[in-house]
Amino acid sequence: MVKFMICVLIKDDDVFYRHRFEMFLGSLLSEKYSETVLFLYAFNTKNIICADIIILDLCAGEVFSCFPELKMRHQALLIGLMEQKIETPAMLPKCLSNIVIIARNEPLSSSYDKILSVVKRKLTTCEPLFSADCTTCKCKHLSQQQIYIMQSLYNGTPPSQMARR
């Protein structure tokens, strides 16, 4: 049997959570699929291209934002970590179209089931190469409110002052 190495790119600043996720994914992939796992941490083009699984730390609303870097991924699975549990929205940018969202406070059994199902799909099926064409993406335009927030942040306006508007 041929063994492959699974590359997992983790973009998360919380070192303790990242370590927990490494242990979790490492044991899942080695026990269930006898796969060796290589963890990557630099969110750059080279690692995005190499990654089989990409784990992103996302803030509320960030799931609706474009990640131009992700256009470089080929067949990588996307896992989004969020503080609050949300249902995967229907309208996502193309670069996040197949993301699985996991809440940080979600029970481990639920996270395990979600990750196991996407990893199983990844390892057992041959999906076409991912292709994100930003020109046809529905999320490429910013709303007036998003433009206001970006301008305010650029100008150094505190979020509390922006919220009062």
Side-chain angles (χ1 to χ4, degrees):
M1 184 166 125
V2 178
K3 281 190 131 188
F4 296 100
M5 183 175 301
I6 304 276
C7 292
V8 179
L9 173 58
I10 301 177
K11 182 181 181 264
D12 190 351
D13 294 331
D14 185 337
V15 178
F16 294 114
Y17 194 83
R18 184 173 67 198
H19 180 70
R20 185 179 127 210
F21 220 84
E22 286 173 19
M23 302 306 290
F24 174 68
L25 262 182
S27 67
L28 170 82
L29 294 170
S30 65
E31 288 172 15
K32 288 279 187 185
Y33 299 103
S34 301
E35 299 289 344
T36 306
V37 184
L38 171 67
F39 290 98
L40 309 169
Y41 307 103
F43 194 69
N44 58 37
T45 304
K46 179 183 170 194
N47 287 348
I48 291 169
I49 291 170
C50 292
D52 296 301
I53 300 172
I54 299 175
I55 300 169
L56 300 171
D57 175 32
L58 299 171
C59 298
E62 202 171 12
V63 74
F64 300 106
S65 302
C66 181
F67 286 82
E69 304 93 346
L70 293 178
K71 289 192 309 183
M72 305 312 248
R73 71 186 171 100
H74 294 292
Q75 292 176 310
L77 299 173
L78 283 178
I79 298 172
L81 302 175
M82 298 188 75
E83 291 299 323
Q84 301 291 328
K85 184 176 182 177
I86 66 164
E87 293 300 317
T88 304
M91 191 176 117
L92 291 172
K94 280 192 172 185
C95 51
L96 295 177
S97 61
N98 63 345
I99 194 165
V100 174
I101 297 176
I102 295 175
R104 289 185 185 271
N105 59 358
E106 196 169 313
L108 194 56
S109 61
S110 174
S111 300
Y112 182 85
D113 291 342
K114 283 183 181 180
I115 293 171
L116 187 60
S117 69
V118 294
V119 169
K120 186 177 186 179
R121 187 177 69 224
K122 166 80 175 157
L123 295 175
T124 58
T125 62
C126 186
E127 295 179 358
L129 288 176
F130 173 78
S131 157
D133 179 12
C134 294
T135 58
T136 60
C137 185
K138 296 175 184 169
C139 298
K140 70 178 181 178
H141 300 290
L142 297 175
S143 68
Q144 285 301 113
Q145 183 177 12
Q146 290 170 321
I147 292 170
Y148 167 75
I149 291 170
M150 303 245 324
Q151 287 174 336
S152 299
L153 289 172
Y154 179 76
N155 293 330
T157 306
S160 59
Q161 188 177 345
M162 285 187 275
R164 283 189 223 119
R165 178 180 175 251

